[in-house]
């Protein structure tokens, strides 16, 4: 990049400034991507009831994937989990959780066994994706009608919203719509903080602020909850994830 001076000469931007700009962009992307990856982990592993560990696993996976991409010379961030993959993983986890063979003698789910099977499934899916890439099967997508692809994307978005709405309203992870159908009371402070997050994200996007809109919404909602906790009891926010324990 070069900037023009008042004399019409081209002055190169200092190297340290380029590095600082690049570092700021990478940091902003990481801070904005982390909460989304954590939320995807909560959705994918919700049937196991390991909320804190689910966030840690997905964040670790994203960090490892980007580290491998950098070492392999990818030259860019590879991103985190995709919404469609998250929904498919959630379906797989829910199916495995109902298998009697994966239950302990006391009736609880063998979480480690389920996670290992999920890892094997994801590794197999990755191998198939690499094979399809080598065979250039993905070129067939350009022959898919646009309404079909748009409908798929819209459907994935709606499923994510339906999965996250009960949690935003203050119900526990894994409760889902059964809790709403059963008439479980909704803690007012819980869904109020969720609405603050949505409003702050939309306003930031509308104003085209420099920080990522997701990061602005997360920071605003965190501040709102911190202020509300000084006036309201913990029960007003609904169930919490508790202390992480394996």
């Amino acid at each position: 990049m070069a900037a023009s001076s008042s004399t019409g000469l081209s002055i190169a931007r200092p190297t340290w400034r380029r590095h600082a700009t690049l570092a700021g962009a990478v940091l902003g992307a990481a801070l904005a991507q982390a909460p989304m990856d954590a939320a995807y982990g909560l959705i994918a592993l919700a049937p196991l009831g390991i909320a804190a560990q689910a966030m840690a696993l997905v964040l670790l996976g994203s960090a490892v994937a980007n580290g491998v991409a950098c070492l392999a010379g990818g030259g860019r961030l590879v991103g985190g989990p995709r919404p469609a993959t998250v929904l498919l993983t959630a379906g797989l986890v829910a199916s495995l959780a109902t298998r009697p063979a994966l239950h302990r003698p006391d009736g609880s789910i063998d979480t480690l066994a389920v996670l290992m099977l999920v890892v094997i499934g994801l590794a197999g899916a990755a191998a198939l994706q690499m094979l399809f890439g080598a065979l250039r099967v993905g070129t067939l997508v350009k022959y898919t009608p646009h309404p079909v692809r748009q409908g798929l994307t819209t459907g994935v978005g709606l499923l994510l919203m339906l999965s996250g709405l009960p949690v935003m309203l203050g119900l526990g992870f894994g409760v889902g719509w059964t809790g709403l159908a059963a008439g479980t009371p909704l803690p007012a402070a819980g869904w109020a903080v969720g609405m603050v997050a949505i409003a702050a994200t939309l306003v930031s996007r509308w104003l085209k602020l420099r920080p990522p809109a997701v990061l602005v919404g997360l920071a605003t909602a965190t501040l709102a909850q911190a202020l509300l906790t000084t006036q309201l009891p913990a029960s007003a926010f609904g169930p919490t994830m508790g202390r992480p324990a394996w």
Side-chain angles (χ1 to χ4, degrees), residues 1 5 10 34 52 83 94 102 112-113 137 143 169 172 199 211-212 233 240:
M1 297 294 292
S5 65
S10 178
L102 297 177
L112 182 59
V137 178
Y143 300 108
L169 293 177
T240 58

Side-chain angles (χ1 to χ4, degrees), residues 118-134:
V118 170
V119 169
I120 294 173
L122 292 176
L128 284 176
Q129 188 173 7
M130 294 173 64
L131 176 62
F132 291 159

Side-chain angles (χ1 to χ4, degrees), residues 1 23 70 76 91 94 119 145 154 170 225:
M1 297 294 292
C70 291
R76 61 183 178 87
V119 169
T154 304
Q225 179 161 345

Side-chain angles (χ1 to χ4, degrees), residues 3 6 10 21 49 96 111 134 152-153 165 173-174 178 183 187 216 223-224 238:
S6 58
S10 178
T21 302
L96 293 174
T111 304
L152 176 62
T153 304
L165 183 59
F173 292 101
T178 56
V216 173
L223 178 61

Side-chain angles (χ1 to χ4, degrees), residues 37-59 111 167 171-174 239-246:
D37 288 354
Y40 288 154
L42 293 176
I43 295 174
L45 301 181
L48 299 181
I50 53 171
Q53 295 88 334
M55 292 193 299
L57 286 172
V58 175
L59 291 174
T111 304
V167 180
L171 299 179
F173 292 101
T240 58
M241 292 185 296
R243 183 186 299 275
W246 288 101

Side-chain angles (χ1 to χ4, degrees), residues 12 135 137 203 230 240:
L135 298 176
V137 178
V203 170
T230 62
T240 58

